[in-house]
Amino acid sequence: MSQLPRIVILGGGFAGLNVAKRLDKSRYEVHLVDRNNYHSFPPLFYQVASAGLDPTGISFPLRREMRKLRPRNIRFHLGEVKEVDAVARTVTTSYETLAYDYLIIALGTTNNFFSNPGLINDVFTLKSVDEAIRLRNEILYRCEKAAITTDEAERKRLLSFVVIGGGPAGVEIAGALGELKRYILCRDYPSIPPDDMSIDLLEGSDRLLRTMSEKASRTALKDLTNLMVNVRLGHVMTAYEGDRLTLDDGTELNAGMAIWTAGVTAVPFGVKGVDEKSFRGPGGRIITDDACRVIGHPEIMAIGDIGYFQSEKYPRGLPQLAQVAIQEGRYVADGLNGGGVFRLPFTYRDRGSMATIGRNRAVADIGKWHLNGFVAWVAWMFIHLISLLGMRSKLNVLLNWVWAYFTHNTALRLLFQGSPYPRRGRMHDKGDV
Amino acid sequence: MSQLPRIVILGGGFAGLNVAKRLDKSRYEVHLVDRNNYHSFPPLFYQVASAGLDPTGISFPLRREMRKLRPRNIRFHLGEVKEVDAVARTVTTSYETLAYDYLIIALGTTNNFFSNPGLINDVFTLKSVDEAIRLRNEILYRCEKAAITTDEAERKRLLSFVVIGGGPAGVEIAGALGELKRYILCRDYPSIPPDDMSIDLLEGSDRLLRTMSEKASRTALKDLTNLMVNVRLGHVMTAYEGDRLTLDDGTELNAGMAIWTAGVTAVPFGVKGVDEKSFRGPGGRIITDDACRVIGHPEIMAIGDIGYFQSEKYPRGLPQLAQVAIQEGRYVADGLNGGGVFRLPFTYRDRGSMATIGRNRAVADIGKWHLNGFVAWVAWMFIHLISLLGMRSKLNVLLNWVWAYFTHNTALRLLFQGSPYPRRGRMHDKGDV
């Protein structure tokens, strides 16, 4: 490629992709690294998990996005980031080492199990398309097993779901499970009494959707209760043994399947040549100055969920939202296109936040406005639809939604069981991501 | 359920699903068993493998099909068939044992590795949606690895594909790989010289598409050659070590990835109380009388690819085609609806056969007609489109095809890498299928 300054972008999410698109490719040689060959759309992961949407509807090949950019001075690299060397100015992935002049870290976050990392072996999670597919398969599999068994206790065990965490992801997946119980079981699985399915939602604080308005919290609680979800506020789990989950007050719940949405932490990677104390903030997030630059390393920027950008208005860092990632991405690209002259400081324009609890049920805070019910639900669908990349995906998702709305039904309850990989296959390939 | 005679159908493919739909549910209690919770569409597996279609576009939840049937005296059971006991009249699956009055075996076929069963660890196959997804992921992964490596020999190794078997599946996947080399590599993977990708197709006999007309064979050979596929007729493989595949004449080919489409055998299951010699025919197929009934067991019927129905016109059994399965399924259902009085003998109406080699390229034999090129290709698309279950799938597939045709591009080149299953998950569940 060219002899231009080299920008390496780590992560093809909202933040990284927006930098890549907006950077002036006649001025920089750009390299984008991601562990997947696609950009995905986290707000809709829960719909993949609940078989409402198809993984391909919310995943977009990064190479196809690259191909549209002119001049085409940009390259995609598949790989998991292992180490950044801030002195040698190199990044090492699972496959190769890349040199950089500017580095943009936009790796996002992954699940945080806090004091019990062992939970990763016990709970299901929802932080990637792969995790969502796994969730979908497990839920479908449990329904099939429950339809076969004649043992009521066994059936109740199979269909006991506990969602841990009352943020948007937890509320949305719990709502989707509530709709499964209320609308789908009786029609698709006539041999299962719907009451044999139980859904509990645990939230440590005193309200759901803590980052949203009180009104949104109340509405979400009401809607989930209507969907037969047992919401337990002010409780945390203390143990998960066998199929029993214990709460801090000693209550024991059936939990054949536990879904963890209770915390995130920065995607981990090694780093050399930085002062850890001034580099890592709360939750492993990377501390930046008011232009998203790493302290002491103006050639390294951290944006999106992994960046820790403090301001008077946001003393605990900017919220970890798509809008922040998108705006930071564009801001950083503009600064670099301007030869590193940044319009200081970066300021986040709050576009509001929303969550959906199910058919005709959603909540939205937009400035001083609080929407709920059908209006919020339509707004939610519209905003997510226009945010999807590519017309094909928009049509695909719209088709599925319209279909599901009028038929109260989805054609996507498909249990793909996978098949073992040949010796020679990817899964056994050394250096695999 | 009811006290009506109980019919158990093994397999929800073309044969089994057509019986299930057509049986008189006021006269029989019907149970359908399948290892997957969906019906799938084998003619388009190769398009999933080549990322032209989405698995959900060619897979249909069986429970949704059941739900449409009235009276709804039918039940679906997930499970892999382990044993049929023709004396006790029971079927044992991976999960349960079911009693039957009539048994319809429609389990189809799986890969046959003939004298070297160990090949299952070395080659990729295309006999199920899961296998097609695995193929797609491996092909995409090899392209990504090849785009990263700077070692030309390594790149050529990664991109050396050998397809074994020149039947429709082999011809279609080889054609799809040819299009990847010709149209996609240069645009999506600019760092890969297209000539570094090699595609060989091995066929033991002296022509491709042996079951079709000479004309179709010649056209397929010409079209594949245009797509830079090295077709090697009259050759079989004798060894596959490391990444080298050896032919009977000693030729050694690079084969980073070998795709086996060279043979099928009946899906295996145990059987008690039948005379093996009069039960099993060539390729493990189940020998039947002229009403698809097992010899000596008129209450057991075998239809579709697993049935071995001989006649003067077809001394080596009926061809293993969707049309045969569909017609046998309807025939058996009509016979049972008529109280076991069959219109003898079953006669197969040949609707012709076709194969597609790529964009604007296909061959079709319909009666005395031989179509090829664009006309055959459009006919192929039309016939497959109308054969898909459900309007949603038809629209989804049509949308993808139209999109791909005009943009010469697919949005489905997505490498879903999967994520390890929790201890508690399905994959570790005892008695899993």
Side-chain angles (χ1 to χ4, degrees), chain B residues 271-286:
Chain B
V271 60
K272 267 194 202 156
V274 301
D275 164 25
E276 268 295 325
K277 274 216 311 303
S278 66
F279 184 72
R280 294 279 186 188
R285 291 166 77 178
I286 299 169

Side-chain angles (χ1 to χ4, degrees), chain B residues 11 51 60 119 206 211 224 234 244 325 385:
Chain B
F60 317 93
L119 271 182
D206 62 350
T211 59
L224 283 177
R244 306 286 288 171
L385 205 53

Side-chain angles (χ1 to χ4, degrees), chain A residues 67 134 187-188 242 420 424, chain B residues 67 72 134 188 242 420 424:
Chain A
R67 219 168 59 200
R134 193 179 62 179
R187 299 187 316 166
D188 269 18
R424 208 176 290 277
Chain B
R67 220 168 57 201
R72 198 175 161 179
R134 195 179 61 178
D188 268 19
R424 207 178 290 277

Side-chain angles (χ1 to χ4, degrees), chain A residues 35 54 56 63 67 72 75 121-122 134 138 147 187-188 242 392 400 417 420 423-424 426 433, chain B residues 35 54 56 67 72 75 122 134 138 147 187-188 242 392 400 409 417 420 423-424 426 433:
Chain A
R35 76 176 308 282
D54 188 338
T56 60
R63 289 185 179 279
R67 219 168 59 200
R72 198 174 160 181
R75 226 183 111 175
N121 299 316
D122 294 326
R134 193 179 62 179
E138 179 71 12
R187 299 187 316 166
D188 269 18
R392 190 195 138 280
N400 278 301
Q417 312 198 46
R423 255 202 311 259
R424 208 176 290 277
R426 174 170 58 86
V433 290
Chain B
R35 76 177 307 281
D54 187 339
T56 60
R67 220 168 57 201
R72 198 175 161 179
R75 229 184 107 173
D122 293 327
R134 195 179 61 178
E138 179 71 12
R187 298 187 316 165
D188 268 19
R392 189 195 138 283
N400 279 300
N409 181 17
Q417 312 199 44
R423 259 203 309 261
R424 207 178 290 277
R426 173 170 60 86
V433 290

Side-chain angles (χ1 to χ4, degrees), chain A residues 105-172:
Chain A
I105 304 173
L107 290 167
T109 57
T110 183
N111 301 293
N112 188 356
F113 300 105
F114 303 108
S115 52
N116 31 32
L119 271 182
I120 197 169
N121 299 316
D122 294 326
V123 299
F124 286 77
T125 51
L126 197 48
K127 283 288 291 176
S128 68
V129 175
D130 288 319
E131 290 163 72
I133 292 170
R134 193 179 62 179
L135 244 169
R136 176 195 68 192
N137 290 346
E138 179 71 12
I139 293 168
L140 292 172
Y141 181 73
R142 286 175 173 271
C143 292
E144 292 299 339
K145 290 289 292 295
I148 288 166
T149 185
T150 52
D151 171 349
E152 184 184 344
E154 161 77 356
R155 189 160 55 234
K156 287 182 165 165
R157 181 189 70 77
L158 282 164
L159 297 179
S160 54
F161 301 90
V162 176
V163 177
I164 302 141
V171 165
E172 288 172 332

Side-chain angles (χ1 to χ4, degrees), chain A residues 3 19 32 113 190 208 233 236 275 306 339 356 367 395:
Chain A
Q3 286 318 303
V19 181
L32 176 64
F113 300 105
L208 299 169
L233 297 173
V236 298
D275 164 25
I306 203 172
T356 174
L395 289 173

